[in-house]
Amino acid sequence: MWFFSLFVAFVLIPFLIHLNKTYHVLAFFPKRIRTINGEDVERILPTLPGTTIFGNTFDTLGLDFVQTFKFFRHNAAIMKTSYVTYMGGKTLLNVIDADLAEMIMTNTKLITKGFFYKFIQPALGEGLLISAGEKWFGRRKMLTPAFHFNILMQFQEIFKEESLKFVKQLQNSEGEEIELDKHTQKFSLDVICETALGVKLDECLNGEQYRKNIYVFEESFNKRSQYPYLWNDFVYKTLEEYKYRPALKIVHDFSSDIIKKKRQIFTQEFQSGQTHEEQIYQKKRYAMLDTLLRAEQEGLIDHAGICEEVDTFMFEGFDTASMSLMFCLMNLSLYPEMQQRCYEEILEEIDPDLSTLDIAQLNKLKYLDCFFKESMRMYSTVPLVMRTAVEETQLPNGLILPANSSIMLHIFDLHRNPKYFAKPDVFNPDRFLPENSVGRHPYAFVPFSAGQRNCIGQKYTMLEMKTLVVFILKSFKILPAVNPETLQFKSGIIIRTKNDVKAKFIKRL
């Protein structure tokens, strides 16, 4: 016994103390971030104090989705700068400063998504959201033509058709409190289905089943990311995966069936020489699927790859847009003077005949653009994105990230950082006027991410949202039915609220 005690005292403890300089031993050995010149890391990047001696491993133990969201906001408030955490064998760099965000987003070595994204891989495969390396570069290049200006002009017709349907639905519930997310989600999903797949969801035999089950993508991701014991693939597949399989099958079968039917039509066009670029851009109804089917004919992608990209685009495109629309409509209801200013701008810049509404007219709505930006600043649709340093990476500020460390870009906190936005919790669209934006860090506002992995559909999304708001404000005044101070946000891949977000719509006289 005495020999063991001497061994611990004179050998093991000194060894662990020495090892702890390189690894956070009690946090299950994640490698520490260090500096190029050996300077104390804390002078550049502080470490968040853990709630136990095991680093930050158990900081979120027992917290629900709302409490976890508040936990990260609390961290940003007390640290006031980017910080590092060590938890469960993982090194995490938490970014809330624009300077560091730029270093990460512009680093060509840091384009691999974080380990959390593997939790959504069973639903989406390795599409544009998740893939990395050559596969990502190839897919990004392949899909870029799907957002050509001429294609966006054709999508504009779909935006108008669905916006008109949205307004007609509001007429049936005029003056009533309505849950905004239910309406915006249906609108966005219908739009994305027609622009991505080229079909109207309401006309598909199993369209309603698809609409009900697509939410499983996010549900499964959030459940797994919230509970560390489910990070293990074996544990997840044993305890949880079976719950989501039926819904995933419905969603995957729907998109796969549409792809097969569209392929038959596309093959006929291809064989008859009707798929030249000019002819594709002139099609009455063009879908992103046309781009993928053309790439398939050229041997650049197979059926499984097309399914990956369609499922990814459907998921990314409908939910992010619907949440942005929900918060924008909420803010229009909360600030009647700003709503009136948006309405007057529409009257001044937009043709009274909305059937002529086009991109050129929408681009004239400068104040509405500022209003959207401010809404997206305060309510970041994607509050967090993650990257992985697949190899040891040196940053311009002198930090060296160890291989396999994770980077969490807290967009929600970046957008509310008082270094870049005075009174960040005050809603003020004027802060995005050109004269008020001079000198602001270009990476202080990144609602669509930035750098190489920015959102490929950001112009698409802005046009979709602007079109709907123009149709709504031309017909209705929006009245408030929620107190924003009571909103409780939930952690997850998309921003959500625990409580319902509502508004009233009153016909304009």
Side-chain angles (χ1 to χ4, degrees), residues 338-347 473-474 508:
M338 298 177 192
Q339 180 184 160
Q340 182 64 21
R341 187 171 170 183
C342 290
Y343 174 64
E344 290 174 357
E345 184 181 54
I346 290 170
L347 292 181
L473 290 185
K474 284 279 286 185
R508 293 187 183 274

Side-chain angles (χ1 to χ4, degrees), residues 345 349-350 361-369 470:
E345 184 181 54
E349 302 292 352
I350 302 299
Q361 291 183 56
L362 291 174
N363 287 339
K364 295 178 182 179
L365 301 176
K366 303 301 183 183
Y367 182 74
L368 182 61
D369 189 60
V470 167

